[in-house]
Amino acid sequence: MAAAPKSSEKKIRVLIAKPGLDGHDRGAKVVARALRDGGCEVIYTGIRQTPEMIAEAALQEDVDVVGLSILSGAHLELFPRVVDELKKRGIGTDDVLLFCGGIIPEEDSKALNTLGFKAVFRPGTNTQDIVKFVYEHAAS
Amino acid sequence: MEVRVPVTEIVDRFLAGDRRALARIISRVENETPEGRDYLRDIFPHSGKAHIIGVTGGAGAGKSTLTGALASEYRNRGKTVGIVAVDPSSPFTQGAILGDRIRMQSLALDPGVFVRSMASRGALGGLAPSIADVVAVMDSFGFDYVIIETVGAGQDEVEIAGTALTTLLVNNPGTGDDIQAMKAGIIEIADVLIVNKADHPGADILVSQLQALLALAPAGSRRPPILKTIAMKPEGLEKVADAIDDHRRWLDESGELEKHRMSNARHQVVAAARAILLQRIQRNTSAEELDELVRQVAGRTLDPHTAAEALADSVRG
Ligand SMILES: Nc1nc2c(ncn2[C@@H]2O[C@H](COP(=O)(O)OP(=O)(O)O)[C@@H](O)[C@H]2O)c(=O)[nH]1
Ligand SMILES: [Mg+2]
């Protein structure tokens, strides 16, 4: 009975978070909206999130995906701490799909991939590519 | 009662207070999976201890801010709080942006608080039937209070009032929402009336309007208190917490609590039965069979009720 709405269908739950002190979240909101329009349930926590807050939100919300947005350049400092805080709560990089976006130099991609980030999206990315990526990789 | 061994170790961890187990069980229950049902069966006997509070009102009224501030007030009183914050799903894509946590940042790392965002998922507005189940899971975990935040859209308030023991209706000065509420009869489900954003002009006018409205209530019915708050500050939350405790005491002493529990349980059983039947129909009917019935109804050769009978008969067959 494919025509009937299935309210019990598993939805992909995504946490979109902005770690660090930069106070500008237009990009994060655009991504959140694109994922919503793609049918995901997006938990949006706003700006100035500490690594602990992000990991705790991921735990409480039991998300399938965590997307981090950063513009300040502090990604190599903050992202490893997010991954650590997730691990402290029993959430490994196999349990949750990690991606990031923002102003991140090309040469940092490798370090972020090693850390567990499956994709790095830069300004100018088509949001549809992000939606597609989430649907292809989210473990659900 | 027979002592049952919990189905899996995740239930053990849940009962031992593991928050990750709580989060995962909520997901299974929310998604109405067979595992979710098993977990709920084992967990449900532990529920019924928390006081369940509903917070409802229009979009932007300050429900999330107030919920956070109320939870902080309870933390100051040494109590623990579970929060279920519901936002609407898009009727077109079934996706949702759940942003209530933004207003609850000061609780983000408090081990005595657990915030879970939920999309309403209802196909036609209204609450997903699993919200009551998720509340029961939070209750079983042992929180002293469970707060449910929902956007008021008419039907939702009535549903939330079924699950919540004390319902707060959040109004704002200068929006004309009070008149709306009166028209919709929504005010009848409120146990505590909140005038939030009392820092805005018109708060006292709204209070007297609400008082006038309550004066029309039938004699002998309980008058909900009207309280001014500035949730953002926060200001006025001690009185709100006290009013909730007063209402709880009244529920206990008047015998209303028992009535409420019975009617809520009845509602849940009937809703669950309806969901099971619908699932069985879906399992027994192919998309083609449904399409065929729909075509006949659209072409006026069959009426919707006879078509529905045909679907229901598939369960028996
Ligand atoms: N001036 C004022 N603004 C408030 C108050 N409480 C909440 N707000 C603001 O109202 C907006 C909506 O609040 P929110 O809690 O998200 O409302 P909800 O949609 O009902 O959950 C936010 O910008 C809040 O900061 C208050 O008491 N006074
Ligand atoms: Mg809200």
Side-chain angles (χ1 to χ4, degrees):
Chain A
M1 202 158 145
K6 284 196 207 115
S7 64
S8 57
E9 200 173 288
K10 168 92 172 76
K11 287 274 164 200
I12 298 178
R13 287 171 67 85
V14 186
L15 175 68
I16 296 292
K18 271 197 74 67
L21 295 176
D22 51 315
H24 160 68
D25 65 347
R26 197 156 2 115
K29 280 182 173 159
V30 168
V31 172
R33 260 181 247 126
L35 288 167
R36 188 245 346 245
D37 294 342
C40 296
E41 291 179 355
V42 183
I43 292 104
Y44 186 66
T45 51
I47 55 173
R48 302 215 167 88
Q49 300 287 297
T50 65
E52 291 90 339
M53 288 162 91
I54 293 168
E56 190 58 33
L59 179 143
Q60 293 180 17
E61 301 288 357
D62 192 27
V63 290
D64 309 295
V65 184
V66 176
L68 300 180
S69 160
I70 197 154
L71 303 169
S72 66
H75 46 279
L76 287 184
E77 177 210 330
L78 289 169
F79 289 6
R81 287 176 49 205
V82 172
V83 172
D84 277 351
E85 289 295 333
L86 285 168
K87 283 194 181 132
K88 259 192 219 167
R89 288 165 176 79
I91 304 170
T93 48
D94 294 337
D95 301 316
V96 74
L97 172 66
L98 291 173
F99 74 91
C100 58
I103 301 175
I104 298 169
E106 199 65 56
E107 64 261 31
D108 292 343
S109 289
K110 198 153 177 284
L112 293 173
N113 290 148
T114 312
L115 202 56
F117 288 82
K118 291 270 172 356
V120 180
F121 296 103
R122 295 195 167 74
T125 305
N126 185 335
T127 52
Q128 284 316 304
D129 292 341
I130 302 178
V131 176
K132 205 165 141 237
F133 162 82
V134 163
Y135 273 90
E136 271 168 15
H137 293 87
S140 59
Chain B
M1 210 180 75
E2 162 199 14
V3 181
R4 197 166 17 200
V5 182
V7 273
T8 55
E9 76 48 78
I10 191 172
V11 173
D12 281 340
R13 287 198 283 123
F14 172 93
L15 294 173
D18 179 324
R19 291 157 70 89
R20 180 117 200 270
L22 167 60
R24 307 210 81 165
I25 286 177
I26 290 175
S27 301
R28 304 296 186 277
V29 166
E30 180 184 15
N31 291 325
E32 299 173 71
T33 64
E35 289 161 291
R37 244 166 243 150
D38 286 345
Y39 298 154
L40 193 63
R41 186 193 60 214
D42 285 339
I43 284 168
F44 193 79
H46 297 270
S47 67
K49 297 187 196 85
H51 187 64
I52 317 287
I53 300 162
V55 176
T56 191
K63 299 178 299 297
S64 298
T65 313
L66 186 96
T67 297
L70 180 60
S72 297
E73 175 62 26
Y74 283 135
R75 295 297 295 136
N76 291 341
R77 298 180 182 200
K79 305 291 187 187
T80 58
V81 187
I83 296 171
V84 181
V86 184
D87 275 324
S89 300
S90 154
F92 304 109
T93 66
Q94 297 293 313
I97 291 185
L98 311 173
D100 295 319
R101 293 187 84 92
I102 297 175
R103 312 276 172 226
M104 305 178 189
Q105 298 288 351
S106 65
L107 307 168
L109 294 174
D110 186 331
V113 177
F114 191 100
V115 181
R116 183 62 175 241
S117 310
M118 266 182 94
S120 63
R121 291 191 188 178
L124 302 165
L127 297 190
S130 57
I131 288 177
D133 291 336
V134 169
V135 170
V137 172
M138 287 265 201
D139 182 349
S140 307
F141 194 73
F143 293 110
D144 296 310
Y145 294 88
V146 177
I147 309 178
I148 320 165
E149 179 201 336
T150 55
V151 180
Q155 196 47 43
D156 293 13
E157 282 101 337
V158 180
E159 289 187 38
I160 198 182
T163 304
L165 294 171
T166 301
T167 299
L168 316 189
L169 181 61
V170 185
N171 305 272
N172 294 152
T175 56
D177 277 358
D178 46 319
I179 313 299
Q180 292 293 312
M182 174 179 57
K183 278 195 195 139
I186 281 162
I187 206 158
E188 283 160 36
I189 59 123
D191 302 304
V192 179
L193 283 165
I194 308 278
V195 172
N196 186 43
K197 305 196 186 180
D199 51 326
H200 286 182
D204 290 320
I205 297 173
L206 178 54
V207 169
S208 35
Q209 283 173 334
L210 290 170
Q211 268 162 353
L213 208 59
L214 293 178
L216 303 172
S221 59
R222 186 180 186 277
R223 292 273 162 86
I226 304 167
L227 301 172
K228 286 195 285 184
T229 58
I230 305 172
M232 216 173 57
K233 249 187 178 175
E235 217 174 271
L237 274 303
E238 304 87 348
K239 286 202 174 124
V240 174
D242 290 344
I244 292 167
D245 286 348
D246 285 347
H247 181 250
R248 172 60 193 245
R249 216 167 299 123
W250 174 81
L251 285 171
D252 283 330
E253 288 164 5
S254 64
E256 285 294 319
L257 189 74
E258 213 31 56
K259 273 194 229 161
H260 192 291
R261 285 201 199 286
M262 285 296 288
S263 75
N264 189 29
R266 184 182 306 276
H267 177 80
Q268 279 184 269
V269 171
V270 172
R274 194 179 294 141
I276 289 171
L277 282 180
L278 195 60
Q279 272 181 3
R280 289 196 183 152
I281 289 172
Q282 289 181 335
R283 218 181 296 132
N284 290 326
T285 313
S286 69
E288 292 73 31
E289 285 170 301
L290 176 65
D291 285 349
E292 180 50 33
L293 289 169
V294 167
R295 251 193 303 279
Q296 291 179 29
V297 172
R300 298 298 191 270
T301 57
L302 187 70
D303 71 283
H305 298 279
T306 309
E309 289 276 0
L311 289 181
D313 282 345
S314 73
V315 173
R316 263 177 255 149

